[in-house]
Every structure is written in C-alpha cells, then in structure tokens.
Amino acid sequence: MKIRKTTREDVRELMEIYAFAREFMAKTGNPNQWGPTKWPPESLIRNDIEEGNSYVCTNEDGKVIATFYFIQGHDIEPTYREITEGAWFGDSSYGVVHRLASDGSEKGIGQFCINWAFEQCGHLRIDTHTDNVIMQNLLTRLGFTRCGIIHVMEDNYPRYAYEKIR
C-alpha cells in the first residue's frame, strides 16, 4: 500500500468509499457518526483537496482503497481546544486525522493510514464517535491513549479523543 495526495480525479471514488463506510458503520452499531447527515459532503472533500490535506491509500495496482484528511501544526483543530473528562497530555505541534474510510477490500488499511500519519509528525490526535467501537479498538491497538471527550460542530454526539506521542 502507498499514500499519496488526493487529486480532483479521485473525488468520485472517494464518495463511493464514504458511502460504503457509512453503510458498514451502520451495520456494525455506529449508524449516527456519518449516516444521518451523509457525512462528509463532497464540497468538504473538494476543499480538503484544494488545501492539500486530503490523502488516499492505494493498493499494489494503484487503485484507491482508502481516504483520510491529515494536517499538522500547533493548535490546528479548533474542536480540540475544549476537552472534558480528561486532558491532552502533549502541548507540542501535532497531526490530526479525520474522515478515515476504506473500501474494505484489504485488511489493515486503517492501521496503515494511521501509522503513516503518525510517522509524519510523531504526535497524533484522533477523535471518534462513542459508538465507533471498531475505531476505538484500532486506536488502542496502535498505542493511542483515550484522553477525554470532545464535541464537533456537525452534530451533538460526543467523541472520544485519543492521542499518541513518540
């Protein structure tokens, strides 16, 4: 597998991957994270691409099999400024992964993408819906620590906030 920046030509495939991910999440006990709002909207994905923060994971044949948003810097995620029921344990610049989704065609895609992002910055924060047990288990397996609860602007559901520092 390889990671590369997303291009405009990838948008159709990305929207198909997100549709698959919404269906998968609903079937596995997480219907509210992206389902009710058909998250993420295509306009947001196109904006992510224009800003250079959208990435895809490709298989050996070059086929897009996953996508995610990745950015790094200091205090870059506004929703992470307020955390309840805990605290972040690092105050340095950090990376953030959002909107990670795969087409389910290969095992280990999520792990590969998260590990790649961590290698870029050495300090990574991720949040996930409280019903997204699959992502929670993956983050725990990858050595992330649950730090507390954050809230996003898109809905009223709390998110578990995770962090990992090299």
Side-chain angles (χ1 to χ4, degrees), residues 15 20 23 28 34 50 63 89 113 118 120 122 140 148 157 163 165:
M15 299 317 294
F20 173 84
E23 186 176 316
T28 57
W34 292 349
E50 293 304 314
K63 181 184 182 306
F89 52 83
C113 294
F118 183 73
Q120 306 311 300
T140 299
Y157 293 101
E163 186 171 36
I165 299 177

Side-chain angles (χ1 to χ4, degrees), residues 114 124-126 139-140 142-146 162-164:
I114 292 169
L124 194 59
R125 291 179 179 173
I126 301 177
L139 293 171
T140 299
L142 295 178
F144 284 79
T145 300
R146 187 187 304 175
Y162 289 83
E163 186 171 36
K164 180 177 178 180

Side-chain angles (χ1 to χ4, degrees), residues 72-77 81 90-95 123 125:
Q72 55 184 326
H74 189 75
D75 198 25
I76 54 172
E77 178 51 65
R81 291 182 187 138
D91 192 31
S92 61
S93 293
Y94 58 89
H123 181 183
R125 291 179 179 173

